[in-house]
Amino acid sequence: MSVTYPPPPTHAEARGALFYDPRLWADMDAWHARVRELRETEGIVLVDDPGYAPFHVLLRHSDVFAVSRDNTGWLNTAQSVLGPDSDWVELVNSGMPPPASLVQLDGTKHRDHRQVTNDWFKPAVVGKRQPRIDQICDEFITKMRDLGGSCDFAKDIAQPYTLRVIMDIYGVPEEDEHLMLELTQGIFGAADPEFLGDADDPGQKLLASIMQFIQYFNELTEDRRACPADDLASVIANGTIDGELMADQERLWYYIIVATAGHDTTSFALSGGMEQLARQPEQLWAIRDEPELVVNAAEEVIRYTTPVRHFLRWAAEARRVADVEVPAGGRVLLCYPSANRDPAVFTDPDTFDVRRPEADRLFSFGGGAHFCLGAQFARREVRTMLGRLSQELDHVEVAGDVSYAQSHFVSGVKHLPIEYGFR
Ligand code: HEM
């Protein structure tokens, strides 16, 4: 499952690479500048490049929205994330079962699987976890104080804080968190050389990460079946569909999607949001002066950063979108970061503004039947940390080079050196 990319394209014709070459996601200003032009001039872009079956990229908010909510006309399928065709062929030839987590399921199968954990993610239930999120946030504010005025906010705070919240919900003990971190990065950030570890290539890293996940969660299942606890692992371990316990593979995919989808995403939102606030601290002080602003600020952080970069949808039958006819079996790429900068919805979209009136029209969590299950958790995590920082910091600034993870699927600020002082 290895893929060798040619040198990063810089010329306008090589625009398809904007959506599949991980390296182009390491410079988001350049990426947005090129995509802005494509959105304004074309709105929908056909990519027909070597190694990739053709696909259209939807860049406008209205088109991404329309396709996302039509879950019978447009399907997720096992190939809901873009990769080189050779990866899929190798997977099929290897005899391994295709991925089958929530984001790869459709129709009633998807509905029934989602139902297993749905109650856990309802606003009222998530609200009951707020005291625990506050407590975990406290630990990381203390850590920031202990670090004495400078840190890599992405690595030292955003990553471990968001990891601890999701693992706490899961019921995974703190001592296993480092393993979870390595595994989520192996799955989501495998294309970034920094996350490759000892593996030779991203495909190998991805497979190795999945195998480790399987072993870990098999053990966890045995434990939670023997002694169920008040945690999400117990809900999944004992989850039933049509009165039967979920099959081994179904259950494993469930663990994988919640553990992976719930971590790097929120971490990248927080680190990217903090970059903006450290560059424009008056916006952080605005939250201090007006604490209820934190709700809108979190929406703006998640819009501006858009950590999930895309999902694919496949046409169940011939479908028309953005004046283009997509044949049955054709696919489109939902480009969330572009939808979130569409001036038809967001005034002055490249500006970060915690008071933005339309911030709640963000498309970072997708839409339709697959709308992010963990959105309430993500929002609370971001609000809690921003609220605390606005109250407690005295000053903050960016103090070095900011770098972005290289991934065309889930990415964002991976290193954010800051200097700060507390009140
Ligand atoms: C800022 C943070 C997050 C972002 C930007 C984000 C984004 C997304 C997106 C774009 C989707 C696909 C939606 C679609 O296809 O229409 C999704 C699905 C999902 N997310 Fe999130 N997510 C975040 C945080 C979380 C958290 C904290 C959790 C778990 C606690 C979570 C769990 C899931 C799950 C399980 C799905 C699959 C839902 C389905 O297919 O039915 N996410 N998320």
Side-chain angles (χ1 to χ4, degrees), residues 151-182:
C151 73
D152 176 347
F153 185 85
K155 211 163 178 312
D156 296 330
I157 306 297
Q159 237 182 37
Y161 162 64
T162 53
L163 184 66
R164 189 154 301 167
V165 173
I166 186 74
M167 290 306 144
D168 189 71
I169 299 162
Y170 242 129
V172 168
E174 216 172 298
E175 63 267 23
D176 293 339
E177 282 175 5
H178 65 283
L179 176 67
M180 290 296 122
L181 180 61
E182 208 188 300

PDB file of all heavy atoms in Angstrom, residues 151-182:
ATOM      1  N   CYS A 151       5.425  26.996  25.658  1.00  0.00           N
ATOM      2  CA  CYS A 151       5.152  25.591  25.351  1.00  0.00           C
ATOM      3  C   CYS A 151       4.807  25.433  23.881  1.00  0.00           C
ATOM      4  O   CYS A 151       4.661  26.432  23.161  1.00  0.00           O
ATOM      5  CB  CYS A 151       4.002  25.050  26.218  1.00  0.00           C
ATOM      6  SG  CYS A 151       2.360  25.651  25.752  1.00  0.00           S
ATOM      7  N   ASP A 152       4.739  24.175  23.462  1.00  0.00           N
ATOM      8  CA  ASP A 152       4.195  23.863  22.136  1.00  0.00           C
ATOM      9  C   ASP A 152       2.733  23.532  22.412  1.00  0.00           C
ATOM     10  O   ASP A 152       2.409  22.417  22.816  1.00  0.00           O
ATOM     11  CB  ASP A 152       4.946  22.667  21.535  1.00  0.00           C
ATOM     12  CG  ASP A 152       4.358  22.236  20.187  1.00  0.00           C
ATOM     13  OD1 ASP A 152       3.249  22.682  19.837  1.00  0.00           O
ATOM     14  OD2 ASP A 152       5.016  21.440  19.498  1.00  0.00           O
ATOM     15  N   PHE A 153       1.855  24.517  22.207  1.00  0.00           N
ATOM     16  CA  PHE A 153       0.456  24.337  22.631  1.00  0.00           C
ATOM     17  C   PHE A 153      -0.193  23.135  21.958  1.00  0.00           C
ATOM     18  O   PHE A 153      -0.998  22.423  22.569  1.00  0.00           O
ATOM     19  CB  PHE A 153      -0.355  25.618  22.329  1.00  0.00           C
ATOM     20  CG  PHE A 153      -1.764  25.550  22.841  1.00  0.00           C
ATOM     21  CD1 PHE A 153      -2.067  25.879  24.153  1.00  0.00           C
ATOM     22  CD2 PHE A 153      -2.807  25.124  22.007  1.00  0.00           C
ATOM     23  CE1 PHE A 153      -3.366  25.792  24.647  1.00  0.00           C
ATOM     24  CE2 PHE A 153      -4.117  25.042  22.485  1.00  0.00           C
ATOM     25  CZ  PHE A 153      -4.393  25.373  23.806  1.00  0.00           C
ATOM     26  N   ALA A 154       0.171  22.868  20.702  1.00  0.00           N
ATOM     27  CA  ALA A 154      -0.451  21.746  19.991  1.00  0.00           C
ATOM     28  C   ALA A 154      -0.084  20.420  20.656  1.00  0.00           C
ATOM     29  O   ALA A 154      -0.935  19.587  20.950  1.00  0.00           O
ATOM     30  CB  ALA A 154      -0.018  21.745  18.526  1.00  0.00           C
ATOM     31  N   LYS A 155       1.207  20.253  20.912  1.00  0.00           N
ATOM     32  CA  LYS A 155       1.711  18.961  21.392  1.00  0.00           C
ATOM     33  C   LYS A 155       1.548  18.816  22.913  1.00  0.00           C
ATOM     34  O   LYS A 155       1.225  17.740  23.409  1.00  0.00           O
ATOM     35  CB  LYS A 155       3.202  18.880  21.044  1.00  0.00           C
ATOM     36  CG  LYS A 155       3.696  17.497  20.766  1.00  0.00           C
ATOM     37  CD  LYS A 155       5.027  17.593  20.049  1.00  0.00           C
ATOM     38  CE  LYS A 155       5.637  16.254  19.777  1.00  0.00           C
ATOM     39  NZ  LYS A 155       5.697  15.304  20.835  1.00  0.00           N
ATOM     40  N   ASP A 156       1.790  19.902  23.633  1.00  0.00           N
ATOM     41  CA  ASP A 156       1.789  19.811  25.100  1.00  0.00           C
ATOM     42  C   ASP A 156       0.372  19.906  25.693  1.00  0.00           C
ATOM     43  O   ASP A 156       0.128  19.391  26.777  1.00  0.00           O
ATOM     44  CB  ASP A 156       2.632  20.944  25.721  1.00  0.00           C
ATOM     45  CG  ASP A 156       4.097  20.836  25.331  1.00  0.00           C
ATOM     46  OD1 ASP A 156       4.561  19.706  25.120  1.00  0.00           O
ATOM     47  OD2 ASP A 156       4.763  21.887  25.227  1.00  0.00           O
ATOM     48  N   ILE A 157      -0.520  20.605  25.008  1.00  0.00           N
ATOM     49  CA  ILE A 157      -1.836  20.856  25.607  1.00  0.00           C
ATOM     50  C   ILE A 157      -2.984  20.289  24.746  1.00  0.00           C
ATOM     51  O   ILE A 157      -3.728  19.418  25.203  1.00  0.00           O
ATOM     52  CB  ILE A 157      -2.063  22.377  25.835  1.00  0.00           C
ATOM     53  CG1 ILE A 157      -0.892  22.973  26.658  1.00  0.00           C
ATOM     54  CG2 ILE A 157      -3.416  22.628  26.496  1.00  0.00           C
ATOM     55  CD1 ILE A 157      -0.726  22.419  28.062  1.00  0.00           C
ATOM     56  N   ALA A 158      -3.117  20.774  23.509  1.00  0.00           N
ATOM     57  CA  ALA A 158      -4.308  20.399  22.710  1.00  0.00           C
ATOM     58  C   ALA A 158      -4.402  18.889  22.523  1.00  0.00           C
ATOM     59  O   ALA A 158      -5.464  18.288  22.733  1.00  0.00           O
ATOM     60  CB  ALA A 158      -4.272  21.107  21.355  1.00  0.00           C
ATOM     61  N   GLN A 159      -3.285  18.277  22.161  1.00  0.00           N
ATOM     62  CA  GLN A 159      -3.314  16.833  21.897  1.00  0.00           C
ATOM     63  C   GLN A 159      -3.635  15.998  23.140  1.00  0.00           C
ATOM     64  O   GLN A 159      -4.586  15.230  23.132  1.00  0.00           O
ATOM     65  CB  GLN A 159      -1.957  16.413  21.352  1.00  0.00           C
ATOM     66  CG  GLN A 159      -2.045  15.764  20.023  1.00  0.00           C
ATOM     67  CD  GLN A 159      -0.666  15.334  19.550  1.00  0.00           C
ATOM     68  OE1 GLN A 159       0.170  14.908  20.328  1.00  0.00           O
ATOM     69  NE2 GLN A 159      -0.452  15.468  18.269  1.00  0.00           N
ATOM     70  N   PRO A 160      -2.854  16.152  24.224  1.00  0.00           N
ATOM     71  CA  PRO A 160      -3.154  15.305  25.384  1.00  0.00           C
ATOM     72  C   PRO A 160      -4.490  15.628  26.051  1.00  0.00           C
ATOM     73  O   PRO A 160      -5.143  14.738  26.583  1.00  0.00           O
ATOM     74  CB  PRO A 160      -1.975  15.561  26.341  1.00  0.00           C
ATOM     75  CG  PRO A 160      -1.303  16.798  25.860  1.00  0.00           C
ATOM     76  CD  PRO A 160      -1.622  16.938  24.410  1.00  0.00           C
ATOM     77  N   TYR A 161      -4.913  16.895  25.998  1.00  0.00           N
ATOM     78  CA  TYR A 161      -6.203  17.265  26.623  1.00  0.00           C
ATOM     79  C   TYR A 161      -7.366  16.589  25.899  1.00  0.00           C
ATOM     80  O   TYR A 161      -8.224  15.947  26.506  1.00  0.00           O
ATOM     81  CB  TYR A 161      -6.336  18.794  26.587  1.00  0.00           C
ATOM     82  CG  TYR A 161      -7.734  19.350  26.772  1.00  0.00           C
ATOM     83  CD1 TYR A 161      -8.438  19.175  27.965  1.00  0.00           C
ATOM     84  CD2 TYR A 161      -8.349  20.093  25.747  1.00  0.00           C
ATOM     85  CE1 TYR A 161      -9.716  19.706  28.123  1.00  0.00           C
ATOM     86  CE2 TYR A 161      -9.618  20.629  25.894  1.00  0.00           C
ATOM     87  CZ  TYR A 161     -10.297  20.428  27.073  1.00  0.00           C
ATOM     88  OH  TYR A 161     -11.558  20.956  27.228  1.00  0.00           O
ATOM     89  N   THR A 162      -7.385  16.708  24.575  1.00  0.00           N
ATOM     90  CA  THR A 162      -8.503  16.125  23.824  1.00  0.00           C
ATOM     91  C   THR A 162      -8.448  14.598  23.880  1.00  0.00           C
ATOM     92  O   THR A 162      -9.479  13.940  23.906  1.00  0.00           O
ATOM     93  CB  THR A 162      -8.493  16.602  22.355  1.00  0.00           C
ATOM     94  OG1 THR A 162      -7.193  16.345  21.797  1.00  0.00           O
ATOM     95  CG2 THR A 162      -8.791  18.074  22.247  1.00  0.00           C
ATOM     96  N   LEU A 163      -7.244  14.065  23.937  1.00  0.00           N
ATOM     97  CA  LEU A 163      -7.104  12.604  24.046  1.00  0.00           C
ATOM     98  C   LEU A 163      -7.669  12.124  25.382  1.00  0.00           C
ATOM     99  O   LEU A 163      -8.402  11.135  25.448  1.00  0.00           O
ATOM    100  CB  LEU A 163      -5.626  12.215  23.924  1.00  0.00           C
ATOM    101  CG  LEU A 163      -5.341  10.721  23.935  1.00  0.00           C
ATOM    102  CD1 LEU A 163      -5.925  10.049  22.698  1.00  0.00           C
ATOM    103  CD2 LEU A 163      -3.837  10.438  23.996  1.00  0.00           C
ATOM    104  N   ARG A 164      -7.334  12.867  26.449  1.00  0.00           N
ATOM    105  CA  ARG A 164      -7.789  12.422  27.770  1.00  0.00           C
ATOM    106  C   ARG A 164      -9.314  12.486  27.873  1.00  0.00           C
ATOM    107  O   ARG A 164      -9.941  11.605  28.446  1.00  0.00           O
ATOM    108  CB  ARG A 164      -7.140  13.257  28.881  1.00  0.00           C
ATOM    109  CG  ARG A 164      -7.413  12.678  30.252  1.00  0.00           C
ATOM    110  CD  ARG A 164      -6.359  13.035  31.264  1.00  0.00           C
ATOM    111  NE  ARG A 164      -5.033  12.580  30.868  1.00  0.00           N
ATOM    112  CZ  ARG A 164      -3.902  12.965  31.430  1.00  0.00           C
ATOM    113  NH1 ARG A 164      -3.919  13.807  32.441  1.00  0.00           N
ATOM    114  NH2 ARG A 164      -2.746  12.518  30.997  1.00  0.00           N
ATOM    115  N   VAL A 165      -9.918  13.502  27.272  1.00  0.00           N
ATOM    116  CA  VAL A 165     -11.388  13.590  27.343  1.00  0.00           C
ATOM    117  C   VAL A 165     -12.011  12.383  26.636  1.00  0.00           C
ATOM    118  O   VAL A 165     -12.875  11.699  27.199  1.00  0.00           O
ATOM    119  CB  VAL A 165     -11.922  14.906  26.727  1.00  0.00           C
ATOM    120  CG1 VAL A 165     -13.451  14.880  26.666  1.00  0.00           C
ATOM    121  CG2 VAL A 165     -11.464  16.109  27.530  1.00  0.00           C
ATOM    122  N   ILE A 166     -11.556  12.073  25.440  1.00  0.00           N
ATOM    123  CA  ILE A 166     -12.201  10.972  24.703  1.00  0.00           C
ATOM    124  C   ILE A 166     -11.907   9.620  25.369  1.00  0.00           C
ATOM    125  O   ILE A 166     -12.770   8.751  25.456  1.00  0.00           O
ATOM    126  CB  ILE A 166     -11.847  11.004  23.183  1.00  0.00           C
ATOM    127  CG1 ILE A 166     -12.640   9.947  22.400  1.00  0.00           C
ATOM    128  CG2 ILE A 166     -10.401  10.818  22.889  1.00  0.00           C
ATOM    129  CD1 ILE A 166     -14.070  10.304  22.211  1.00  0.00           C
ATOM    130  N   MET A 167     -10.693   9.456  25.892  1.00  0.00           N
ATOM    131  CA  MET A 167     -10.355   8.186  26.543  1.00  0.00           C
ATOM    132  C   MET A 167     -11.100   8.029  27.879  1.00  0.00           C
ATOM    133  O   MET A 167     -11.436   6.932  28.285  1.00  0.00           O
ATOM    134  CB  MET A 167      -8.843   8.091  26.774  1.00  0.00           C
ATOM    135  CG  MET A 167      -8.084   7.919  25.476  1.00  0.00           C
ATOM    136  SD  MET A 167      -8.706   6.517  24.516  1.00  0.00           S
ATOM    137  CE  MET A 167      -8.544   7.103  22.852  1.00  0.00           C
ATOM    138  N   ASP A 168     -11.380   9.156  28.504  1.00  0.00           N
ATOM    139  CA  ASP A 168     -12.152   9.134  29.742  1.00  0.00           C
ATOM    140  C   ASP A 168     -13.585   8.661  29.460  1.00  0.00           C
ATOM    141  O   ASP A 168     -14.151   7.862  30.208  1.00  0.00           O
ATOM    142  CB  ASP A 168     -12.157  10.547  30.325  1.00  0.00           C
ATOM    143  CG  ASP A 168     -12.736  10.580  31.720  1.00  0.00           C
ATOM    144  OD1 ASP A 168     -12.059  10.071  32.625  1.00  0.00           O
ATOM    145  OD2 ASP A 168     -13.863  11.091  31.883  1.00  0.00           O
ATOM    146  N   ILE A 169     -14.141   9.151  28.356  1.00  0.00           N
ATOM    147  CA  ILE A 169     -15.487   8.719  27.957  1.00  0.00           C
ATOM    148  C   ILE A 169     -15.464   7.225  27.648  1.00  0.00           C
ATOM    149  O   ILE A 169     -16.356   6.466  28.002  1.00  0.00           O
ATOM    150  CB  ILE A 169     -15.922   9.459  26.667  1.00  0.00           C
ATOM    151  CG1 ILE A 169     -15.980  10.955  26.889  1.00  0.00           C
ATOM    152  CG2 ILE A 169     -17.257   8.941  26.156  1.00  0.00           C
ATOM    153  CD1 ILE A 169     -15.966  11.726  25.571  1.00  0.00           C
ATOM    154  N   TYR A 170     -14.413   6.832  26.974  1.00  0.00           N
ATOM    155  CA  TYR A 170     -14.268   5.435  26.588  1.00  0.00           C
ATOM    156  C   TYR A 170     -14.094   4.504  27.787  1.00  0.00           C
ATOM    157  O   TYR A 170     -14.527   3.365  27.795  1.00  0.00           O
ATOM    158  CB  TYR A 170     -13.010   5.290  25.725  1.00  0.00           C
ATOM    159  CG  TYR A 170     -13.314   4.808  24.336  1.00  0.00           C
ATOM    160  CD1 TYR A 170     -12.840   5.467  23.230  1.00  0.00           C
ATOM    161  CD2 TYR A 170     -14.095   3.669  24.146  1.00  0.00           C
ATOM    162  CE1 TYR A 170     -13.134   5.046  21.963  1.00  0.00           C
ATOM    163  CE2 TYR A 170     -14.404   3.240  22.878  1.00  0.00           C
ATOM    164  CZ  TYR A 170     -13.919   3.930  21.791  1.00  0.00           C
ATOM    165  OH  TYR A 170     -14.219   3.508  20.548  1.00  0.00           O
ATOM    166  N   GLY A 171     -13.334   5.025  28.784  1.00  0.00           N
ATOM    167  CA  GLY A 171     -12.981   4.161  29.901  1.00  0.00           C
ATOM    168  C   GLY A 171     -11.611   3.540  29.713  1.00  0.00           C
ATOM    169  O   GLY A 171     -11.270   2.552  30.362  1.00  0.00           O
ATOM    170  N   VAL A 172     -10.790   4.114  28.818  1.00  0.00           N
ATOM    171  CA  VAL A 172      -9.415   3.638  28.635  1.00  0.00           C
ATOM    172  C   VAL A 172      -8.542   4.308  29.695  1.00  0.00           C
ATOM    173  O   VAL A 172      -8.587   5.537  29.839  1.00  0.00           O
ATOM    174  CB  VAL A 172      -8.893   4.001  27.212  1.00  0.00           C
ATOM    175  CG1 VAL A 172      -7.392   3.795  27.099  1.00  0.00           C
ATOM    176  CG2 VAL A 172      -9.625   3.178  26.158  1.00  0.00           C
ATOM    177  N   PRO A 173      -7.776   3.520  30.464  1.00  0.00           N
ATOM    178  CA  PRO A 173      -6.983   4.129  31.540  1.00  0.00           C
ATOM    179  C   PRO A 173      -5.883   5.056  31.014  1.00  0.00           C
ATOM    180  O   PRO A 173      -5.399   4.888  29.898  1.00  0.00           O
ATOM    181  CB  PRO A 173      -6.370   2.926  32.260  1.00  0.00           C
ATOM    182  CG  PRO A 173      -6.502   1.774  31.330  1.00  0.00           C
ATOM    183  CD  PRO A 173      -7.629   2.073  30.393  1.00  0.00           C
ATOM    184  N   GLU A 174      -5.521   6.016  31.882  1.00  0.00           N
ATOM    185  CA  GLU A 174      -4.555   7.040  31.480  1.00  0.00           C
ATOM    186  C   GLU A 174      -3.237   6.449  30.972  1.00  0.00           C
ATOM    187  O   GLU A 174      -2.637   6.969  30.039  1.00  0.00           O
ATOM    188  CB  GLU A 174      -4.301   7.943  32.699  1.00  0.00           C
ATOM    189  CG  GLU A 174      -4.089   9.380  32.341  1.00  0.00           C
ATOM    190  CD  GLU A 174      -4.049  10.258  33.586  1.00  0.00           C
ATOM    191  OE1 GLU A 174      -5.076  10.304  34.305  1.00  0.00           O
ATOM    192  OE2 GLU A 174      -3.010  10.883  33.832  1.00  0.00           O
ATOM    193  N   GLU A 175      -2.808   5.305  31.590  1.00  0.00           N
ATOM    194  CA  GLU A 175      -1.493   4.764  31.191  1.00  0.00           C
ATOM    195  C   GLU A 175      -1.487   4.211  29.765  1.00  0.00           C
ATOM    196  O   GLU A 175      -0.429   3.975  29.196  1.00  0.00           O
ATOM    197  CB  GLU A 175      -0.990   3.706  32.196  1.00  0.00           C
ATOM    198  CG  GLU A 175      -1.843   2.462  32.319  1.00  0.00           C
ATOM    199  CD  GLU A 175      -2.882   2.585  33.442  1.00  0.00           C
ATOM    200  OE1 GLU A 175      -3.229   3.729  33.818  1.00  0.00           O
ATOM    201  OE2 GLU A 175      -3.366   1.542  33.920  1.00  0.00           O
ATOM    202  N   ASP A 176      -2.669   4.014  29.172  1.00  0.00           N
ATOM    203  CA  ASP A 176      -2.702   3.496  27.791  1.00  0.00           C
ATOM    204  C   ASP A 176      -2.870   4.611  26.759  1.00  0.00           C
ATOM    205  O   ASP A 176      -2.959   4.351  25.556  1.00  0.00           O
ATOM    206  CB  ASP A 176      -3.862   2.504  27.622  1.00  0.00           C
ATOM    207  CG  ASP A 176      -3.641   1.246  28.440  1.00  0.00           C
ATOM    208  OD1 ASP A 176      -2.473   0.982  28.796  1.00  0.00           O
ATOM    209  OD2 ASP A 176      -4.620   0.544  28.739  1.00  0.00           O
ATOM    210  N   GLU A 177      -2.911   5.857  27.237  1.00  0.00           N
ATOM    211  CA  GLU A 177      -3.191   6.948  26.306  1.00  0.00           C
ATOM    212  C   GLU A 177      -2.101   7.131  25.251  1.00  0.00           C
ATOM    213  O   GLU A 177      -2.395   7.452  24.107  1.00  0.00           O
ATOM    214  CB  GLU A 177      -3.370   8.263  27.072  1.00  0.00           C
ATOM    215  CG  GLU A 177      -4.737   8.354  27.717  1.00  0.00           C
ATOM    216  CD  GLU A 177      -4.876   9.596  28.563  1.00  0.00           C
ATOM    217  OE1 GLU A 177      -3.953  10.436  28.582  1.00  0.00           O
ATOM    218  OE2 GLU A 177      -5.914   9.712  29.233  1.00  0.00           O
ATOM    219  N   HIS A 178      -0.834   6.917  25.650  1.00  0.00           N
ATOM    220  CA  HIS A 178       0.241   7.120  24.671  1.00  0.00           C
ATOM    221  C   HIS A 178       0.084   6.143  23.502  1.00  0.00           C
ATOM    222  O   HIS A 178       0.314   6.487  22.343  1.00  0.00           O
ATOM    223  CB  HIS A 178       1.622   6.948  25.318  1.00  0.00           C
ATOM    224  CG  HIS A 178       1.868   5.555  25.799  1.00  0.00           C
ATOM    225  ND1 HIS A 178       1.321   5.059  26.965  1.00  0.00           N
ATOM    226  CD2 HIS A 178       2.544   4.533  25.240  1.00  0.00           C
ATOM    227  CE1 HIS A 178       1.665   3.795  27.115  1.00  0.00           C
ATOM    228  NE2 HIS A 178       2.411   3.452  26.083  1.00  0.00           N
ATOM    229  N   LEU A 179      -0.377   4.928  23.821  1.00  0.00           N
ATOM    230  CA  LEU A 179      -0.590   3.934  22.768  1.00  0.00           C
ATOM    231  C   LEU A 179      -1.711   4.405  21.835  1.00  0.00           C
ATOM    232  O   LEU A 179      -1.593   4.348  20.608  1.00  0.00           O
ATOM    233  CB  LEU A 179      -0.970   2.591  23.403  1.00  0.00           C
ATOM    234  CG  LEU A 179      -1.313   1.460  22.436  1.00  0.00           C
ATOM    235  CD1 LEU A 179      -0.086   1.038  21.648  1.00  0.00           C
ATOM    236  CD2 LEU A 179      -1.889   0.262  23.190  1.00  0.00           C
ATOM    237  N   MET A 180      -2.787   4.933  22.426  1.00  0.00           N
ATOM    238  CA  MET A 180      -3.909   5.432  21.617  1.00  0.00           C
ATOM    239  C   MET A 180      -3.465   6.588  20.713  1.00  0.00           C
ATOM    240  O   MET A 180      -3.891   6.687  19.576  1.00  0.00           O
ATOM    241  CB  MET A 180      -5.040   5.936  22.533  1.00  0.00           C
ATOM    242  CG  MET A 180      -5.756   4.862  23.265  1.00  0.00           C
ATOM    243  SD  MET A 180      -6.615   3.767  22.126  1.00  0.00           S
ATOM    244  CE  MET A 180      -5.884   2.235  22.560  1.00  0.00           C
ATOM    245  N   LEU A 181      -2.600   7.430  21.254  1.00  0.00           N
ATOM    246  CA  LEU A 181      -2.123   8.574  20.473  1.00  0.00           C
ATOM    247  C   LEU A 181      -1.346   8.077  19.254  1.00  0.00           C
ATOM    248  O   LEU A 181      -1.554   8.514  18.123  1.00  0.00           O
ATOM    249  CB  LEU A 181      -1.220   9.451  21.340  1.00  0.00           C
ATOM    250  CG  LEU A 181      -0.649  10.687  20.657  1.00  0.00           C
ATOM    251  CD1 LEU A 181      -1.761  11.605  20.192  1.00  0.00           C
ATOM    252  CD2 LEU A 181       0.277  11.432  21.605  1.00  0.00           C
ATOM    253  N   GLU A 182      -0.465   7.121  19.499  1.00  0.00           N
ATOM    254  CA  GLU A 182       0.339   6.592  18.398  1.00  0.00           C
ATOM    255  C   GLU A 182      -0.563   5.938  17.344  1.00  0.00           C
ATOM    256  O   GLU A 182      -0.350   6.070  16.143  1.00  0.00           O
ATOM    257  CB  GLU A 182       1.310   5.552  18.955  1.00  0.00           C
ATOM    258  CG  GLU A 182       2.562   5.442  18.123  1.00  0.00           C
ATOM    259  CD  GLU A 182       3.396   4.271  18.589  1.00  0.00           C
ATOM    260  OE1 GLU A 182       3.805   4.271  19.762  1.00  0.00           O
ATOM    261  OE2 GLU A 182       3.598   3.350  17.792  1.00  0.00           O
TER     262      GLU A 182
END
